[in-house]
């Protein structure tokens, strides 16, 4: 296969009880193999490995992340592809929080691990499992460079006015309280892809990027540079999400602690796991939510209304931040698949030059697609995100810049046509 000629990248996303991975061809852009390990630490684990259209499943116990990654490497050996033949030039790790320290990907060494570890208080749920994944991967694959790509890095450019919370500066400084932004790899990839698909210079485009997945965030991107985003110090701020509240008055937390007898951990659990669509309607998957709405379920109707209302507020706000908006782009699970959310998010904005053509909008979009009518002054697009490919390409660029042997001909493949429906 072609990937052998120019190398591949193993992309690893390590969570608290799971490891997701993909062996990526950074030139062609495809996934050569992919899989996940789930239920790490439970009595029965789950390992799924997909290669050449076949999925192999194992349910042996996976006591820890080391055992999980060993099981994955064993499956590469057993069912392929052979990692030696795939010529892995780098392992790319997704790390959620890079704080104010990391504005670009870095090659992992012990200092980098220590620096990421020092940022753990800012992302206590994510950073420890991210680091565990890095450590076991370094042990099991010691001969390739490991590169960390940070979810926050694209938002290191946020202007101070956007990044600063209006609280006592000394307190904020002492505890690194500021807005970092997340999903940066996706916002960067998608805004770059928009320019390539349109054949326009990224520098010339003002974009609002709506990454709507189970987690959701919006960003304002001026000429390829992020100037505002909806997630803040943590991925809890901003839009309504699957299980996260997004914006609430901070005094709600004080009230619940003072008057509802809730502990800090209770409130953490409430806002991160029992809120959002799940908290409002008992359902966080839009496919199920729409069924409830159609059946007249009032909680589901309100949940969808709250979700859309919040999204529209952000779109309006980012319009003011940018002044002129050339492209509004939807991405991730909801953004790529849910034509109802897309249509409702931009309904009634014709006076702003924004509209969705219902025929172009209809259905799921697997390719970059323009869904606005021809007369609209702002293009509305759906562009599928691909965080693994973005991480793989950044990993290759990082190891090549550091003088490692990399891929021979890294280039962007020809953009897919903006498929008008
Ligand atoms: P992500 O986090 O990007 O993987 O997005 C996951 C979410 O996308 C799910 O929770 C669903 O709400 C949504 N989703 C996935 N497929 C569809 C679909 N066909 N129609 C509507 N929403 C979908």
């Amino acid at each position: 296969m072609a990937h052998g000629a120019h190398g591949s990248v193993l992309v690893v996303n390590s969570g608290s009880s799971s490891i997701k991975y993909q062996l990526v061809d950074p030139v062609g852009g495809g996934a050569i193999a992919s899989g996940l390990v789930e239920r790490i630490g439970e009595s029965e684990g789950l390992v799924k490995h997909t290669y050449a259209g076949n999925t192999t499943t194992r349910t042996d116990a996976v006591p820890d992340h080391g055992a999980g990654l060993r099981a994955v490497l064993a499956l590469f050996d057993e069912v392929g592809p052979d990692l030696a033949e795939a010529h892995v030039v780098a392992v790319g790790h997704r790390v959620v929080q890079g704080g104010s320290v990391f504005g670009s990907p870095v090659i992992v060494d012990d200092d980098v691990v220590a620096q990421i570890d020092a940022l753990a208080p800012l992302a206590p749920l994510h950073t420890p499992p991210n680091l565990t994944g890095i450590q076991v991967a370094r042990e099991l694959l010691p001969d390739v460079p490991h590169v960390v790509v940070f979810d926050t890095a694209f938002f290191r450019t946020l202007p101070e006015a956007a990044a600063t919370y209006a609280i006592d500066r000394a307190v904020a400084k002492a505890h690194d309280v500021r807005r970092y932004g997340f999903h940066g790899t996706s916002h960067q990839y998608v805004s770059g892809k928009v320019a390539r698909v349109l054949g326009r210079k990224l520098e010339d485009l003002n974009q609002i990027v709506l990454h709507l997945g189970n987690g959701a965030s919006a960003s304002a991107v001026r000429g390829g540079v992020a100037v505002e985003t909806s997630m803040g110090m943590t991925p809890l701020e901003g839009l309504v999400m699957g299980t996260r509240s997004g914006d609430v008055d901070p005094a709600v937390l004080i009230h619940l602690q003072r008057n509802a007898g809730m502990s800090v951990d209770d409130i953490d659990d409430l806002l991160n796991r029992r809120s959002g669509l799940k908290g409002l309607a008992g359902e966080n998957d839009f496919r199920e939510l729409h069924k409830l709405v159609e059946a007249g379920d009032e909680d589901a109707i309100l949940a969808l209304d709250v979700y859309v209302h919040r999204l529209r507020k952000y779109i309006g706000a980012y319009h003011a931040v940018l002044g002129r908006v050339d492209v509004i782009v939807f991405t991730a699970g909801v953004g790529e698949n849910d034509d109802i959310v897309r249509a409702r998010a931009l309904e009634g904005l014709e006076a702003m030059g924004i509209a969705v053509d219902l025929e172009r909008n209809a259905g799921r979009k697997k390719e970059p697609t323009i869904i606005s009518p021809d007369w609209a002054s702002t293009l509305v697009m759906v562009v599928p995100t691909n965080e693994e490919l973005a991480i793989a390409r950044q990993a290759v660029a990082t190891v090549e810049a550091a003088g490692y042997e990399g891929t021979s001909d890294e280039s962007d493949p020809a953009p897919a046509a903006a498929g008008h429906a």
Side-chain angles (χ1 to χ4, degrees), residues 211-215 284-287 290 332-334 337-338 364:
H211 176 113
L212 310 178
N214 204 23
N284 60 309
D285 189 307
F286 266 96
R287 287 161 290 196
H290 288 307
V334 182
N337 295 309
D338 196 318
R364 306 171 64 184

Side-chain angles (χ1 to χ4, degrees), residues 150-174:
F150 297 92
D151 236 25
T152 48
F154 184 52
F155 298 117
R156 279 284 285 115
T157 53
L158 285 190
E160 283 299 297
T164 305
Y165 289 114
I167 65 170
D168 182 299
R169 279 180 71 76
V171 173
K173 210 168 168 29

Side-chain angles (χ1 to χ4, degrees), residues 121-122 169-178 180 233:
L122 289 171
R169 279 180 71 76
V171 173
K173 210 168 168 29
H175 299 281
D176 299 316
V177 176
R178 58 175 283 141
Y180 297 102
M233 190 185 87

Side-chain angles (χ1 to χ4, degrees), residues 35-69:
L36 77 168
V37 185
E38 283 182 326
R39 306 205 285 260
I40 295 173
E42 293 180 29
S43 55
E44 188 175 270
L46 177 68
V47 186
K48 272 190 184 176
H49 179 80
T50 302
Y51 171 52
N54 297 315
T55 299
T56 311
T57 304
R58 294 283 144 81
T59 54
D60 312 323
V62 181
D64 53 34
H65 285 73
L69 200 59

